Each structure stands twice: as C-alpha cells, then as structure tokens.
Amino acid sequence: MKSHGYAAHDPKSALVPFDFERREPGPKDVVVEIDFCGICHSDIHQVRDEWGGSIYPMVPGHEIVGHVTAVGAEVTKFKVGDLAGVGVMVDSCRVCENCLAEAQPYCVKGMVPTYNGKTYEGEMVFGGYSNNIVCDEKYTFTISDKLDLAAVAPLLCAGITTYSPLKHWKVGPGMKVGVVGLGGLGHMALKFAHSFGAYVVLFTTSAGKAEDAKKLGADEVVVTKDPQAMKAHARSLDFIIDCVSAPHDMNAYLSLLRLNGTLCLVGLPEVPLEIAAFSMVADRRSLSGSMIGGMAETQEMLDYCAEHNIVSDIELTSVQKLPEAYERVVKGDVKYRFVIDLKSLGQ
C-alpha cells in the first residue's frame, strides 16, 4: 500500500519527504488515515540516535489518531469512518505470560514498536509522521468523538505513560503524590493524579510554571532550586512520578519519600543516573520504572479521558516546521505537546 510521510535518513540531517510502502491489509487489519500525530521527546532521541541502535530510514511518530478507511474481513471492532488510534506498539508475541496478562509492552519476545524497529518477519515498521498506517485491530484503539481529536493524540503515549504507573501504584484519595517536571509527560501526570483524588505536589526548576501547574491540578508547587522548599517535604510523599528526560539528582527526590514510598521513572535521560545506597535503604524506599500500559489499560485510559474530559494541552504544527518543533521540545518551550496536523503533508 502506497504511503508517504517524513523520514530521517541519518542522525544529523533534518527529516525530509519520503515515499514508502506499507503491507497490504490482512483480514484482521485496520487502515487508518492519519489526521494528527503527536511529537514525543522519544521521537527526537531516536531520530538523533541518542539511545543507540536507531534504524534508518525512520518515519517517527507513535501518538496517532485518525479515521478508518478500510477494514479486513475478520475485523469486528471498527467500521469504515470510525475514529481510531495507534500508540507506541503495533504487535507482540501474544502467547507469553505477559501478553496473556494484558501487559503487552513487557512481551518476553519483545514488542514490535510503531517505528524504529522491525516486525517478527523482519520488515521495517514506519510511524505516524505519514498519511496512513495499517495495524491489527487488537493494537488499534477506539476513540471517542466527545474530545478534540488533535488533543487526544498525545494520550497514546504521554497519557498512558503516566496513567499506567499511577493506576499500578493505586494513587488515590489520602495519598500525597509528587510529579517531577512539567512537560509533555508531567502535565498529564498532574491531570491524572488530581483526577484520581490525590494531593499533588509539582517539583520544577522553573518558578514561572507555578500558575500553570495549579491550573493543571497541582495543590502545591515546589521550585527545586530552593533547598528549604524541598526540605519542607522531606519524608512525606507516598509516590513520586519522575517525568524528566534530562540528567538530575535522584537522591534529592528519594529523600522526599516516606516509609515504603516509591519513586517511578517514566522520563528517559540518555545518561545513567546516580543513586546513593542510603537514599534507598532509608525508609525502605523503592525505585521503579514504567513503560506504556497494555492494550486493555490504554483503552481504559482513553475511555476514562472521554468520561472526565481530559486531553493534552497542545500546540498544532506542520511537517514543514519539524526542525523548529524539535528544537523547542528540547528547550521545553511548548505547552505542553506538539501535534502535527497531517493535512500539511499535502502543502
């Protein structure tokens, strides 16, 4: 099937127009004409090979929403014209213990990512900076028409990346929760933690983000450059979700956890983080990490967002402005997620 989009051909060059072919749709496949695709910081890391192992040519994008233009003969979940979404993965082995437990991102064989990877048959996969995508209906999500479609797109990564750990650690009323960093991930963590009924504290290096943070659901805002402000929260938090993808002092945040508290990493710094042993053994603290959620949990999150009117705060951009958007993401100069309008492909 003919497709076109924007691709990176090496770590240093700008993304450029790219024509390619997707597989012919099978009996269980859905064809989605892409309307919007979010720009995730991980797109930039992978395009620039900052994590290593990048495969070129690469069509990034794993926050995909659009409408269904064709369905296979055995598809039951979609019909032509329906809204649909595709997230960070497009397949998994389906038979390992993790897949059977609806934890497909942790597939023992390894999930098939939406881009920068290969299918189990060795075919390249290309992402959402493009006009269409073919995906098995099991890995395609139904989207409510109650919400702004462009603002839904980042829920497929930034949304589920924060929703999943907050649900796993049972964040809710009576808990004091910290969110580290107010960006694409952090602003969604604030919205969800607040919606779940927790008392939420945002930790940021920027005093200028305090007003926005409170609008998004923070009960308190702590500027981390102020030692006294940090000390005031020592040994008081039940759970911290760390959304920062740059190097930072983990021990400063671990010291804020109370007995049996957990700090969960969802940001992905490109360098190893230093952890002092005493930061962990004090108060029997736990350091953890989390990826996206499984297929069922992601659909649950999308349905929850439709019910509670939760979407990402976005800025629309075009494929022609990708270099500018990438630089602004790296600088943290967006409130709070760029989304590409794929109509710009035809311009």
Side-chain angles (χ1 to χ4, degrees):
M1 192 174 71
K2 300 292 185 184
S3 302
H4 64 276
Y6 267 61
H9 290 272
D10 61 67
K12 301 294 184 184
S13 305
L15 281 77
V16 294
F18 180 61
D19 292 320
F20 60 101
E21 290 186 358
R22 296 194 184 274
R23 72 172 186 270
E24 281 300 312
K28 295 185 178 179
D29 283 334
V30 177
V31 180
V32 179
E33 189 75 14
I34 301 172
D35 293 312
F36 301 101
C37 182
I39 296 177
C40 180
H41 204 144
S42 63
D43 296 346
I44 301 170
H45 285 306
Q46 293 177 86
V47 162
R48 297 178 177 177
D49 198 23
E50 291 171 345
W51 293 340
S54 289
I55 305 170
Y56 302 96
M58 182 195 305
V59 178
H62 57 208
E63 299 178 342
I64 299 165
V65 291
H67 57 280
V68 175
T69 57
V71 296
E74 297 176 18
V75 170
T76 59
K77 200 164 70 171
F78 296 94
K79 63 183 186 300
V80 171
D82 285 350
L83 296 177
V86 178
V88 177
M89 61 183 294
V90 292
D91 203 1
S92 63
C93 82
R94 312 183 191 211
V95 296
C96 73
E97 59 181 344
N98 294 345
C99 285
L100 293 175
E102 284 292 328
Q104 294 95 340
Y106 307 102
C107 174
V108 174
K109 186 175 181 179
M111 70 173 184
V112 177
T114 304
Y115 72 88
N116 192 27
K118 295 183 179 181
T119 67
Y120 296 134
E121 295 74 36
E123 297 295 319
M124 290 276 288
V125 288
F126 297 110
Y129 294 15
S130 57
N131 65 315
N132 58 26
I133 191 166
V134 180
C135 191
D136 187 299
E137 70 167 335
K138 181 175 176 60
Y139 297 83
T140 309
F141 304 103
T142 60
I143 304 290
S144 170
D145 61 4
K146 295 179 182 178
L147 303 174
D148 173 24
L149 192 60
V152 167
L155 298 179
L156 276 304
C157 178
I160 189 57
T161 297
T162 50
Y163 182 95
S164 184
L166 291 170
K167 292 292 284 189
H168 179 79
W169 275 278
K170 298 180 172 58
V171 165
M175 295 181 71
K176 183 178 178 182
V177 173
V179 175
V180 182
L182 183 56
L185 292 175
H187 93 287
M188 291 307 309
L190 279 182
K191 290 186 180 194
F192 284 134
H194 173 76
S195 179
F196 295 166
Y199 184 91
V200 191
V201 184
L202 175 77
F203 295 90
T204 177
T205 57
S206 174
K209 291 186 175 180
E211 185 178 345
D212 260 13
K214 289 185 176 179
K215 289 178 182 176
L216 291 163
D219 295 287
E220 285 188 60
V221 178
V222 174
V223 179
T224 56
K225 295 174 183 176
D226 181 347
Q228 291 305 117
M230 290 287 283
K231 188 176 180 181
H233 291 275
R235 303 175 76 174
S236 71
L237 280 89
D238 299 285
F239 183 78
I240 298 173
I241 182 167
D242 187 340
C243 303
V244 176
S245 290
H248 55 291
D249 182 5
M250 297 294 297
N251 301 295
Y253 297 107
L254 287 165
S255 70
L256 304 178
L257 292 171
R258 64 191 306 169
L259 180 65
N260 299 324
T262 298
L263 188 155
C264 179
L265 290 172
V266 293
L268 295 167
E270 63 221 50
V271 297
L273 300 169
E274 292 188 4
I275 308 294
F278 280 107
S279 296
M280 298 295 299
V281 300
D283 287 323
R284 199 161 56 200
R285 296 164 178 145
S286 297
L287 175 63
S288 63
S290 180
M291 293 172 61
I292 57 169
M295 299 304 104
E297 187 175 48
T298 303
Q299 189 63 62
E300 173 193 299
M301 179 270 306
L302 289 166
D303 295 344
Y304 181 89
C305 288
E307 183 182 347
H308 293 85
N309 195 31
I310 295 173
V311 290
S312 295
D313 288 21
I314 65 163
E315 182 176 331
L316 275 178
T317 190
S318 65
V319 289
Q320 292 80 16
K321 293 182 178 179
L322 282 171
E324 173 192 334
Y326 272 24
E327 292 310 312
R328 285 181 57 193
V329 170
V330 171
K331 293 176 182 176
D333 178 29
V334 57
K335 291 184 177 180
Y336 281 94
R337 203 74 163 186
F338 275 116
V339 173
I340 305 166
D341 184 343
L342 269 308
K343 289 196 296 289
S344 63
L345 272 176
Q347 296 174 0

